[in-house]
Amino acid sequence: MAGLGDLLGRAVLWPFVLLARLIDLPLRVWQRWTGIGGMAAVFLAPTLLIFGVFVLVPLGLNFAYAMTGGTGILLGERPFVGFEQYGRLLECEDYTRRLTCREDQFWTAVGNTGVFVIFQVTLMVAVSLITALILNRNIRGRGFFRAVFFFPVLLSPVVVGLIWRWILQRQGLLNLIMVNLGLDPQVWLNDRFYAFAATIGVSTWAHMGFYTLILLAGLQAIPRDLYEAAEMDATPPTRVFRRITLPLLAPNLAVVLVLALIRGVQIFDEVYVLTGGGPGTSTLFLTQYIYEAGFASILRNPGLAAAASILMGAVLVVLTLLQLWLSRRAEGGRVR
Amino acid sequence: MGQITLRGIRKSFSGVDVIHGIDLTIADGELAVFVGPSGCGKSTLLRMIAGLDRPTTGTIEIDGQDVTRTSAAERGLAMVFQSYALYPHMTVRQNLSFGLENTRMPKNDITARVDDAGRMLEIMDLMDRRPTQLSGGQRQRVAIGRAIVRNPTAFLLDEPLSNLDAELRGSMRAELAGLHDRLKTTMIYVTHDQIEAMTLADKIVVLRKGVIEQVDTPLGLYNRPQNLFVAGFIGAPNMNFFNAVAVDGQAELPGGLRVAVPGNGPVTIGIRPQMLHLADPDAPALTGTIRLIEALGAETVVHAAAADGTAMVVVLSGQPALRTGETIRLAFDPDALHVFGADGQRLD
């Protein structure tokens, strides 16, 4: 059996061994020529190539498109218009009244995204924290509940949107239950308030497992001794939470907060499937506006979409820098 | 006051008994050390006294009052953890005052107590630092300070020096002994290090597999171990043991040397490595072949194999001229022998 296993192992490894032998000589020559520093470039090259093709080139193209006008798709067919697309997005007669803005839908999307982010992130952090605190306790079926809360994270956003549309639509599961309970059915997804609340609730449900996991890891990293020392010191539970748990969880909370903010600003797929941005434009968020401006509207304007995406990107860069700063600060203050 | 009494303490985890009925009294002001190998239940016992774990059966009394069902907070005890358990986000001063703030003590009193402890432990210049900015020894002092400020009935110390290097451990050991002399408060100290136990304790409790093997003073344990386990555990290097059969009050050691022993039948004869010395050329002797010589300067540790193959260690003073492979002839004072019966219990 050992002989057969050995043979199988060799058969599987054979192509890799051949490849290694083939590149061995060129690599030796390269190393002799460039020194050991040059080898780093060789090993980084594949990743840099992928990063360049799928990130840097599209990013550059996006900047280029944002400087062009017209409805053409190919860059060569599009006239150069400078910063006109940015001007169009940001032009308003009265910034307190979005209808006076040239691209009022952009401002609607910005406003909706802002409100969404404030409520969704607050709810997300609160729910994730409470869930993590409960799952951190020695409760019966803890493993099962951890899986249950994490399960939605594994679902595709489109599936999440569809599930909840089936639940919330006019003849959906929720209304069926309400009718059976003798209550009046509601038009959940056709009411501005309910639809907006649904986007917040559904996105929180879909992503909270991920944030709960981060917070749970943070809670479990707090040494049990600290709680026992607090117990010996007759510390009331609320004070333990306020003075020990929260400060020691702060780095994880900061990461969760910023990641949730970034994700909140980027919200698109599940909301697009759930409400399509409606009713009207009440759940139109920034990413959907960009998508529609560039690809889905009758008068598609890739330049406008590119400019809007760059503005959104700027916000995300600020949030990412904030996250990096918080992570490094947390790293610096971590218990050694 | 700080007398702690344990009566019939048993503890099980998931049906597995780890403490098998402990009865013990620690007098007020005494420094008792729980010592034993890993898994012997010493930390579990300490945690039950602290109130962090509940005994399955039995009672714990502090100054005659049953506190078995009393919470840790209400027992008036203070604990120093192996990991120090300092709050990493608080300064040393905040760490020291945190427990006192829970008692709603006036701020001025808290400051006074914290300063007193700080001066006693010479950590006043560290008060504004965080634990991450302290060395191991400094953290240890802060952890002790946190216990001191609460003015507890008794201190419980769970392997407090195990994270320190050997040199620092030695100096902190002396400081702890000095602290106990000054405070005169009951201390229960858990360690697996017999040197810590021997140097610190008024009373040592030797534990094995959840059972007390012997309770005695350090020298009492060293001079009259009640069983083979204690004899082997206390003392460094370990005691030498020779199996023999006693007939008419006599047993033969490897090499043919006969010694007087109490009782008859199979016995184990123990003798500490320091109690052996080189025998005169013509005198009867315990013999062995030298396997290894560790010359330490002031003393020489000789590892040898007795005639029957039993390993033995000898600590000789000075630097005797010995060579590996030679036969070593050893003599001893018959009073230095420890004789244990087939059940492992001391015979005399």
Side-chain angles (χ1 to χ4, degrees):
Chain A
M1 283 308 285
L4 183 65
D6 188 48
L7 206 64
L8 274 173
R10 281 168 186 270
V12 170
L13 287 177
W14 177 79
F16 300 102
V17 172
L18 183 69
L19 182 68
R21 286 191 179 152
L22 281 175
I23 62 172
D24 184 61
L25 184 66
L27 282 180
R28 280 173 188 276
V29 174
W30 175 259
Q31 185 178 343
R32 186 159 293 182
W33 185 43
T34 61
I36 196 75
M39 293 306 288
V42 171
F43 290 114
L44 284 174
T47 307
L48 285 176
L49 189 72
I50 292 167
F51 183 75
V53 170
F54 291 102
V55 178
L56 290 182
V57 172
L59 191 65
L61 281 174
N62 211 34
F63 275 105
Y65 270 94
M67 298 285 204
T68 60
T71 55
I73 286 290
L74 294 174
L75 196 57
E77 296 170 356
R78 299 177 57 78
F80 180 77
V81 295
F83 289 97
E84 193 188 299
Q85 303 286 18
Y86 295 100
R88 183 174 164 179
L89 283 173
L90 301 175
E91 188 184 326
C92 282
E93 283 175 22
D94 179 356
Y95 282 97
T96 59
R97 290 161 54 217
R98 65 180 166 83
L99 287 176
T100 65
C101 297
R102 196 167 160 199
E103 275 298 320
D104 63 315
Q105 290 228 342
F106 172 72
W107 289 101
T108 301
V110 168
N112 283 347
T113 307
V115 175
F116 175 84
V117 162
I118 290 169
F119 284 101
Q120 195 253 10
V121 170
T122 309
L123 185 69
M124 180 76 86
V125 173
V127 171
S128 304
L129 179 60
I130 293 167
T131 312
L133 285 169
I134 294 169
L135 291 180
N136 194 41
R137 298 179 76 88
N138 201 12
I139 54 169
R140 189 184 288 264
R142 186 164 66 163
F144 170 75
F145 285 117
R146 281 184 189 176
V148 164
F149 284 111
F150 190 70
F151 181 67
V153 178
L154 304 174
L155 294 177
S156 149
V158 174
V159 173
V160 169
L162 281 174
I163 289 172
W164 282 96
R165 209 168 78 183
W166 289 331
I167 293 172
L168 296 172
Q169 64 193 0
R170 192 186 291 268
Q171 293 181 334
L173 187 66
L174 184 59
N175 276 345
L176 186 71
I177 293 169
M178 289 182 70
V179 168
N180 279 322
L181 291 173
L183 300 168
D184 290 335
Q186 299 289 325
V187 281
W188 303 107
L189 298 178
N190 289 334
D191 177 277
R192 298 174 72 86
F193 175 78
Y194 287 142
F196 200 90
T199 61
I200 292 173
V202 169
S203 60
T204 304
W205 175 83
H207 302 295
M208 62 162 282
F210 175 65
Y211 301 112
T212 299
L213 213 63
I214 295 177
L215 294 177
L216 192 58
L219 285 172
Q220 291 182 343
I222 300 174
R224 204 181 72 165
D225 283 358
L226 297 185
Y227 291 111
E228 291 183 342
E231 194 181 339
M232 295 295 296
D233 280 343
T235 316
T238 49
R239 193 161 191 252
V240 170
F241 179 71
R242 207 163 35 84
R243 295 291 308 275
I244 297 172
T245 306
L246 267 188
L248 292 176
L249 199 59
N252 299 66
L253 272 172
V255 169
V256 162
L257 184 72
V258 179
L259 284 179
L261 272 172
I262 292 171
R263 207 147 184 178
V265 173
Q266 292 174 321
I267 188 80
F268 173 59
D269 356 33
E270 57 257 47
V271 172
Y272 189 68
V273 174
L274 184 69
T275 66
T281 55
S282 56
T283 58
L284 175 72
F285 298 124
L286 208 44
T287 313
Q288 187 180 338
Y289 167 80
I290 292 166
Y291 166 69
E292 288 186 344
F295 305 101
S297 63
I298 299 163
L299 287 173
R300 60 171 182 244
N301 187 343
L304 194 68
S309 72
I310 286 166
L311 290 179
M312 190 176 98
V315 173
L316 292 176
V317 164
V318 170
L319 290 176
T320 307
L321 289 175
L322 181 68
Q323 195 228 326
L324 278 175
W325 179 71
L326 286 170
S327 303
R328 284 188 186 153
R329 212 175 67 141
E331 201 67 35
R334 190 148 291 172
V335 189
R336 277 188 282 267
Chain B
M1 291 289 281
Q3 178 176 294
I4 296 170
T5 308
L6 311 180
R7 293 186 206 280
I9 295 291
R10 289 177 185 274
K11 178 70 181 172
S12 306
F13 290 108
S14 309
V16 178
D17 292 342
V18 290
I19 300 285
H20 304 271
I22 298 274
D23 294 289
L24 179 70
T25 298
I26 295 150
D28 179 33
E30 199 168 45
L31 201 164
V33 175
F34 293 173
V35 70
S38 293
C40 70
K42 53 192 187 293
S43 286
T44 306
L45 200 55
L46 191 79
R47 289 173 61 82
M48 286 192 287
I49 295 170
L52 296 172
D53 284 332
R54 289 273 161 86
T56 307
T57 58
T59 58
I60 299 169
E61 292 171 16
I62 297 176
D63 292 330
Q65 197 173 357
D66 187 347
V67 295
T68 317
R69 302 288 149 194
T70 307
S71 72
E74 293 169 86
R75 294 191 185 191
L77 306 173
M79 186 150 167
V80 177
F81 293 82
Q82 184 176 4
S83 64
Y84 314 130
L86 299 177
Y87 307 118
H89 54 293
M90 297 184 197
T91 63
V92 168
R93 181 173 289 282
Q94 288 167 333
N95 263 285
L96 296 182
S97 53
F98 185 76
L100 297 177
E101 287 164 8
N102 295 330
T103 62
R104 302 192 185 281
M105 182 185 277
K107 273 195 170 173
N108 289 343
D109 293 355
I110 292 177
T111 308
R113 273 218 207 174
V114 168
D115 286 347
D116 283 349
R119 275 190 289 273
M120 185 189 291
L121 295 163
E122 298 174 9
I123 52 172
M124 285 304 284
D125 54 333
L126 308 176
M127 284 293 184
D128 296 323
R129 292 201 204 165
R130 297 208 172 169
T132 49
Q133 298 167 309
L134 304 177
S135 68
Q138 289 168 335
R139 284 182 211 182
Q140 184 57 65
R141 283 164 198 264
V142 178
I144 293 169
R146 192 170 62 180
I148 288 174
V149 292
R150 293 189 52 221
N151 200 12
T153 314
F155 290 95
L156 310 176
L157 302 105
D158 189 4
E159 307 217 26
L161 307 184
S162 62
N163 289 338
L164 304 179
D165 61 54
E167 192 181 340
L168 199 54
R169 212 159 48 224
S171 63
M172 282 303 293
R173 209 162 55 213
E175 285 193 35
L176 274 174
L179 196 69
H180 180 245
D181 278 348
R182 278 204 299 278
L183 297 173
K184 309 275 188 225
T185 309
T186 309
M187 283 189 181
I188 303 178
Y189 188 106
V190 162
T191 183
H192 62 269
D193 182 341
Q194 54 157 307
I195 296 175
E196 274 174 32
M198 295 292 283
T199 51
L200 282 171
D202 296 323
K203 174 158 82 187
I204 296 179
V205 180
V206 183
L207 288 150
R208 182 172 65 145
K209 294 180 181 173
V211 173
I212 292 179
E213 292 285 341
Q214 190 172 347
V215 181
D216 208 334
T217 60
L219 290 182
L221 284 176
Y222 186 84
N223 294 330
R224 286 190 62 80
Q226 290 305 303
N227 56 44
L228 272 173
F229 174 76
V230 176
F233 191 77
I234 300 292
N238 291 351
M239 184 183 281
N240 297 302
F241 292 115
F242 303 98
N243 292 323
V245 178
V247 179
D248 297 334
Q250 292 270 310
E252 190 178 297
L253 287 172
L257 179 66
R258 298 186 71 79
V259 292
V261 295
N264 286 311
V267 292
T268 301
I269 299 168
I271 182 158
R272 297 207 180 274
Q274 295 83 353
M275 297 299 166
L276 291 165
H277 55 85
L278 294 174
D280 293 332
D282 300 326
L286 169 67
T287 59
T289 308
I290 299 174
R291 298 281 184 232
L292 176 71
I293 298 167
E294 296 172 328
L296 304 177
E299 61 185 25
T300 301
V301 180
V302 180
H303 297 258
D308 65 349
T310 307
M312 59 180 178
V313 180
V314 187
V315 178
L316 300 169
S317 63
Q319 300 167 7
L322 298 170
R323 277 190 306 199
T324 308
E326 275 182 357
T327 298
I328 188 169
R329 299 181 75 258
L330 300 161
F332 50 86
D333 179 349
D335 289 343
L337 292 183
H338 304 267
V339 185
F340 304 94
D343 60 355
Q345 296 301 309
R346 190 178 188 89
L347 283 180
D348 57 334

